[in-house]
């Protein structure tokens, strides 16, 4: 692709924003379209996690390691570029602590951490006493933990807005309230842009970065991607004096993230914010785009959180919210070209790791589109990989 060609990105969330910045700074003319407000959907309903602690060895972990370095670099770059009047992305290398309450759980966590260390993750096993040195309010039933100093956090909406602002400074155009309705096709059948509710937008290439709505957009453009929404809920406490110093979660979290079942999955995920609130997750269930809060799910999340930090039982909940994660059947994002419809690209399917994986995703997509050497092998994230079969049907 010529660097002067137009690129349309469908989706102004954190992944679309990272792609826009990477492409615009590489010289491409970029237009970002979103039917809603920027960073108002999945990106606005997460916790801003930048994690290696929840990823086993493999392609997702490799992308996460590159992205962690990318976020550390971006925190300084964006602050310098946008100046003190732009809100901070609140990058905080707070570290993560995974705790277990049984000897069996500790054995499993040790094995998982051993495999992660072999893949380059800093995973430090700590005794129950040392874990309480890191988090004094842990429940007495905690028998051990693994500390992950590389885990970090950003404020996801501020981060997405900062990436979009940087992309604009490099020439990108962001148009909100514009819904993609279909394809523009050239005489050769190649995708040549999109039709929208606000008129046609010609482009040399189109990137679908619409999170859990990517399957709908792909279908409108004449393609297919097996992204499905996976609903998650979060509890938010009233502000308090900070008593939780790290991102803390129980040993069930990794199993929940990797589950392929549509049934409800819950685990304890607890962390403080700079504003003094405590965020409590997490839940996962495949119920389509049903946006009704379920009291039973919130109660189960609260019960699990209290089992890790008993003092939370005396804490008031200020609000709750839910969002939809873009789930993929093989738990890997799709980053790269559509194998059938030329001119169509995807950057989607990150499920709950979109914020953490955004910088590496943007850089990988831009490198692949522009013919540059990528920082990671792109093949595991290919749209036509065999593991993206749905109901036994191969992608053709």
């Amino acid at each position: 692709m010529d660097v002067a060609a137009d690129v349309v990105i469908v989706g102004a969330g954190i992944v679309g924003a990272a792609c826009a910045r990477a492409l615009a700074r590489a010289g491409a003319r970029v237009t970002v379209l979103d039917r809603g407000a920027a960073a108002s959907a999945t990106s606005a309903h997460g916790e801003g996690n930048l994690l290696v602690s929840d990823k086993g060895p493999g392609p997702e972990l490799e992308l996460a390691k590159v992205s962690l370095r990318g976020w550390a670099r971006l925190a300084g770059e964006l602050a310098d570029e946008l100046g003190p009047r732009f809100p901070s992305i609140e990058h905080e290398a707070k570290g993560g602590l995974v705790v277990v309450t049984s000897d069996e759980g500790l054995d499993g966590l040790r094995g998982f951490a051993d495999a992660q260390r072999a893949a380059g993750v800093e995973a430090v096993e700590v005794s129950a006493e040392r874990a309480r040195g890191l988090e004094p309010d842990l429940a007495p039933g905690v028998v051990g933990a693994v500390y992950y100093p590389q885990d970090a956090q950003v404020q996801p909406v501020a981060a997405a807005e900062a990436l979009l602002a940087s992309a604009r400074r490099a020439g990108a155009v962001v148009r909100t309230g514009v819904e993609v309705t279909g394809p523009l096709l050239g005489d050769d059948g190649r995708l040549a842009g999109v039709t929208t509710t606000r008129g046609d937008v010609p482009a040399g290439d189109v990137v679908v970065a619409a999170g859990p709505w990517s399957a709908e957009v792909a279908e409108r453009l004449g393609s297919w991607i097996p992204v499905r929404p996976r609903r998650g809920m979060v509890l938010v406490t009233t502000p308090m004096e900070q008593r939780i110093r790290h991102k803390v979660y129980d040993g069930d979290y990794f199993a929940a993230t990797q589950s392929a079942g549509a049934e409800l999955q819950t685990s304890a995920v607890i962390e403080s914010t700079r504003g003094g609130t405590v965020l409590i997750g997490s839940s996962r269930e495949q119920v389509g785009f049903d946006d009704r809060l379920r009291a039973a799910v919130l109660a189960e999340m609260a019960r699990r959180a209290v089992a890790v930090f008993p003092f939370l039982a005396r804490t008031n909940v200020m609000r709750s919210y839910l969002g939809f994660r873009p789930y993929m059947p093989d738990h890997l994002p799709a980053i790269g070209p559509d194998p059938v419809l030329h001119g169509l690209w995807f950057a989607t399917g990150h499920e709950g790791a979109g914020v953490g994986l955004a910088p590496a995703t943007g850089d990988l997509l831009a490198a692949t589109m522009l013919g540059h050497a990528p920082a990671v092998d792109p093949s595991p994230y290919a749209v036509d990989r065999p593991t993206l079969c749905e109901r036994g049907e191969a992608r053709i």
Side-chain angles (χ1 to χ4, degrees), residues 240-324:
M240 67 180 78
E241 180 181 353
Q242 188 177 51
R243 296 177 65 174
I244 300 172
R245 305 171 184 178
H246 306 83
K247 181 178 184 68
V248 182
Y249 53 95
D250 65 31
D252 290 336
Y253 182 66
F254 174 74
T257 65
Q258 298 303 301
S259 168
E263 71 278 5
L264 175 67
Q265 305 278 337
T266 62
S267 57
V269 183
I270 311 119
E271 62 191 314
S272 296
T273 70
R274 289 189 182 182
T277 60
V278 174
L279 304 181
I280 298 171
S282 71
S283 69
R284 284 171 163 78
E285 54 186 334
Q286 293 184 41
V287 291
F289 286 104
D290 184 345
D291 61 358
R292 293 173 293 181
L293 285 165
R294 290 179 56 199
V297 175
L298 299 175
E300 177 63 13
M301 288 162 48
R303 184 192 67 79
R304 282 183 167 270
V306 169
V308 176
F309 287 110
F311 81 89
L312 289 172
R314 304 182 299 276
T315 302
N316 292 323
V317 170
M318 179 171 63
R319 64 187 180 95
S320 60
Y321 60 88
L322 64 80
F324 298 100

Side-chain angles (χ1 to χ4, degrees), residues 172-196:
V173 175
V174 180
R175 297 178 60 191
T176 57
V178 180
E179 184 170 359
V180 170
T181 56
L184 289 176
L185 298 176
D187 294 338
D188 58 358
R190 191 183 194 280
L191 190 62
V194 294
T195 63
T196 81

Side-chain angles (χ1 to χ4, degrees), residues 43-60:
S43 298
H45 297 92
E47 300 174 60
N49 295 325
L50 318 179
L51 305 180
V52 292
S53 56
D54 64 339
K55 297 171 180 64
E60 187 183 31

Side-chain angles (χ1 to χ4, degrees), residues 156-172:
V157 174
E161 290 284 11
L163 290 168
L164 288 172
S166 177
R168 287 189 186 96
R169 288 173 61 90

